[in-house]
Amino acid sequence: MSGTDSEPFDAIHQVDRPIIDAHVHLLPDRVLKAIRKWFHQEVSWTLPTVTKADVFEYLTTLDGAVCFPYAHKPGVARSMNRTVADVVVGIDHVVGLATVHARDDNPVDIVQEGLDAGLAGVKLHCPVQEFPPSDSRLDPVYELAVEHDLPVIVHASSHPFYRDSDLVGPEATKRVLERFPGLRLCIPHLGLFETDAFLDLADRYDRVAFDTAVAVGEQVHELIGTRDEEYPIERIRRYTDRVMFGTDYPTYPDSVVYGDLIDATAAAFPQARDRVFYRNAIDFYGVDVDFGE
């Protein structure tokens, strides 16, 4: 592993509090390679050269983690879910989620197979998968999630490259919550760049939560072009019982220093570090962690 890739491990060992990373991508090596190529060609980001084995080592280094794939096209979700289940089943402190594509045949069956294999929720990435969260073909998946109280994480905001996309934004998410008000839903990346509107949804639906993946810190905001009005940190701090630390590992540029992500999150939530760094993820995702408390 390169020096860049080892930096997260060094940073974790230097932290004096438990850490649960609630946003980790666990993908086959061929997909990780394709993602690195896309980021380099399309947005000039150089991602660290990380393999699935490196992600596994990262997961086992943490006190707890939530990991998932995302099906970039129909027909690949089953194999991706098997990859995650094969890695995380038997690791008590790691929760794995299933993915599915709206254009898959019988999406709910694919999710149920993932649950039967030991996965514990659902991950959707709307701008990559090219459907809105309100796509009616996903309704049986949401119904299953509500019935079994499963966590669902949906990339539903325009962060970081999707300001012009009509597939994301709070309105489509609002339609989902109106149909499924009991849904346990995480909006990653603090809902940037529509945070205020997603917080309005959190006001109405008390099971809406957020993670901090590539959404906190001056370096990150400069990198993704966050405008001042798009990061209402004082308002965000009023929801610290629903914000979880996340990193997007390993799909952030190697110019981002992992230790700085930890420091920026601690600075953003100085009165709620325990909640943000681990307790909220235990509550929301059911991460099974023994801190000896």
Side-chain angles (χ1 to χ4, degrees):
M1 192 180 302
S2 72
T4 299
D5 297 338
S6 66
E7 193 268 335
F9 302 85
D10 298 335
I12 291 167
H13 290 309
Q14 294 173 16
V15 176
D16 61 357
R17 71 178 61 85
I19 289 182
I20 294 176
D21 187 342
H23 194 128
V24 180
H25 293 285
L26 180 57
L27 297 158
D29 286 341
R30 67 183 183 281
V31 177
L32 288 171
K33 183 177 180 180
I35 290 171
R36 289 194 297 271
K37 180 178 179 181
W38 184 92
F39 272 88
H40 182 71
Q41 292 181 341
E42 299 297 327
V43 296
S44 300
W45 284 14
T46 300
L47 305 190
T49 302
V50 170
T51 66
K52 185 180 74 172
D54 295 330
V55 179
F56 174 80
E57 184 179 354
Y58 175 72
L59 294 171
T60 58
T61 300
L62 292 158
D63 298 288
V66 181
C67 67
F68 37 74
Y70 51 84
H72 55 289
K73 62 183 180 180
V76 301
R78 278 190 172 92
S79 63
M80 286 187 162
N81 293 341
R82 284 195 296 270
T83 294
V84 175
D86 288 346
V87 170
V88 306
V89 171
I91 307 177
D92 291 341
H93 69 278
V94 178
V95 171
L97 308 182
T99 189
V100 71
H101 199 286
R103 297 199 301 274
D104 282 329
D105 294 333
N106 300 313
V108 71
D109 291 345
I110 293 173
V111 172
Q112 184 62 62
E113 290 173 15
L115 301 178
D116 293 342
L119 302 181
V122 181
K123 161 69 176 180
L124 302 173
H125 194 311
C126 294
V128 170
Q129 296 180 291
E130 298 184 335
F131 53 76
S134 55
D135 191 313
S136 61
R137 292 170 293 187
L138 296 170
D139 281 2
V141 173
Y142 294 134
E143 289 173 2
L144 181 70
V146 171
E147 179 183 357
H148 296 283
D149 196 24
L150 305 174
V152 178
I153 177 171
V154 181
H155 188 135
S157 73
S158 61
H159 173 286
F161 315 119
Y162 309 110
R163 291 183 184 273
D164 297 327
S165 174
D166 59 1
L167 299 174
V168 296
E171 285 304 312
T173 304
K174 179 181 177 182
R175 291 193 290 273
V176 173
L177 291 167
E178 287 173 343
R179 298 202 297 268
F180 305 97
L183 187 66
R184 184 155 38 127
L185 177 65
C186 177
I187 305 298
H189 315 296
L190 291 177
L192 293 174
F193 300 106
E194 300 83 30
T195 300
D196 263 322
F198 280 108
L199 291 174
D200 290 343
L201 292 179
D203 286 340
R204 295 180 58 185
Y205 301 96
D206 61 9
R207 311 201 81 196
V208 171
F210 302 88
D211 74 38
T212 67
V214 194
V216 175
E218 291 184 8
Q219 180 191 20
V220 164
H221 290 157
E222 182 176 351
L223 175 74
I224 64 177
T226 308
R227 300 160 189 161
D228 289 345
E229 67 273 14
E230 293 171 338
Y231 182 63
I233 184 58
E234 293 301 326
R235 186 179 180 196
I236 294 168
R237 287 180 178 137
R238 300 205 296 267
Y239 300 81
T240 51
D241 60 335
R242 289 194 259 172
V243 174
M244 296 170 279
F245 175 71
T247 66
D248 228 354
Y249 183 86
T251 57
Y252 55 78
D254 58 11
S255 61
V256 173
V257 178
Y258 187 97
D260 290 348
L261 297 177
I262 295 174
D263 292 343
T265 303
F269 303 101
Q271 305 302 317
R273 291 173 181 172
D274 286 355
R275 292 221 59 88
V276 171
F277 276 104
Y278 63 96
R279 294 195 183 279
N280 290 340
I282 293 173
D283 294 342
F284 187 85
Y285 286 110
V287 182
D288 183 10
V289 181
D290 181 6
F291 296 133
E293 298 177 349

